Amino acid sequence: MLPIGINHGAGLHQWDITNAQFAVFSRRANIAAIFYSPVMCLIKLAILFQLASLFAPVKSRMYWVICALSTLTIMFYLACMIFRILQCIPREKIWNPSVPGTCINSTAGILSSAIVNTFSDFLLLVLPLNTIWRLQMPQSKKWQVSAVFATGLL
């Protein structure tokens, strides 16, 4: 996306790019935003399935929590993808503001997505801690293993 963006005005002041450059960049940025949802969904599902195989080999409470989070993840990212696709009607209004039509407030969508992403990332990091602290090992080892998971907070 970066080479495409540089050729079409990314990093320049808005008054230094042409309308044609803005249209190409906006169109490609929207396509990238649409693909972001399924990619992030698959990444989070892969992490959840890895957690399930490590920390919930049997159908325990952790297994059902992971199933619920997987379902919520799929629903959330599907909604995000639909939001991006239907952001403006007609779609051309996304990259050409002079086209008559209506657009949804994208700032609210981006903000809500950021909040949900931050919360779900935090849950993915905290989820295995309960199991780790129930392991029969010295407390210093538990802190070390917890620290490895906490590096994801950085």
Side-chain angles (χ1 to χ4, degrees):
M1 180 76 183
L2 187 61
I4 294 168
I6 291 172
N7 292 335
H8 296 286
L12 298 175
H13 290 287
Q14 187 174 354
W15 52 82
D16 290 337
I17 63 171
T18 66
N19 287 340
Q21 287 175 313
F22 177 76
V24 170
F25 179 77
S26 295
R27 183 178 202 161
R28 291 181 180 166
N30 181 256
I31 291 168
I34 291 169
F35 279 107
Y36 170 84
S37 294
V39 168
M40 283 304 297
C41 183
L42 291 174
I43 290 169
K44 288 194 181 188
L45 288 175
I47 293 169
L48 284 166
F49 292 155
Q50 182 69 35
L51 289 176
S53 69
L54 291 173
F55 297 107
V58 294
K59 292 188 177 181
S60 61
R61 187 176 71 175
M62 173 74 87
Y63 173 82
W64 294 111
V65 168
I66 291 172
C67 285
L69 284 175
S70 298
T71 303
L72 291 173
T73 298
I74 292 168
M75 290 171 34
F76 172 71
Y77 283 110
L78 182 63
C80 286
M81 190 170 71
I82 291 169
F83 172 80
R84 284 295 179 185
I85 292 170
L86 301 176
Q87 182 177 345
C88 290
I89 298 176
R91 284 193 41 75
E92 186 181 351
K93 186 163 178 61
I94 296 169
W95 56 86
N96 186 358
S98 64
V99 171
T102 58
C103 291
I104 300 170
N105 181 2
S106 63
T107 304
I110 292 169
L111 182 61
S112 64
S113 176
I115 291 168
V116 171
N117 275 322
T118 303
F119 182 71
S120 68
D121 288 350
F122 181 75
L123 279 178
L124 288 176
L125 295 170
V126 173
L127 199 59
L129 293 181
N130 185 31
T131 305
I132 291 168
W133 281 90
R134 286 189 283 128
L135 293 174
Q136 294 185 10
M137 61 170 52
Q139 192 167 2
S140 63
K141 292 274 189 198
K142 291 178 187 179
W143 280 107
Q144 291 171 355
V145 173
S146 297
V148 169
F149 281 95
T151 57
L153 292 173
L154 301 176

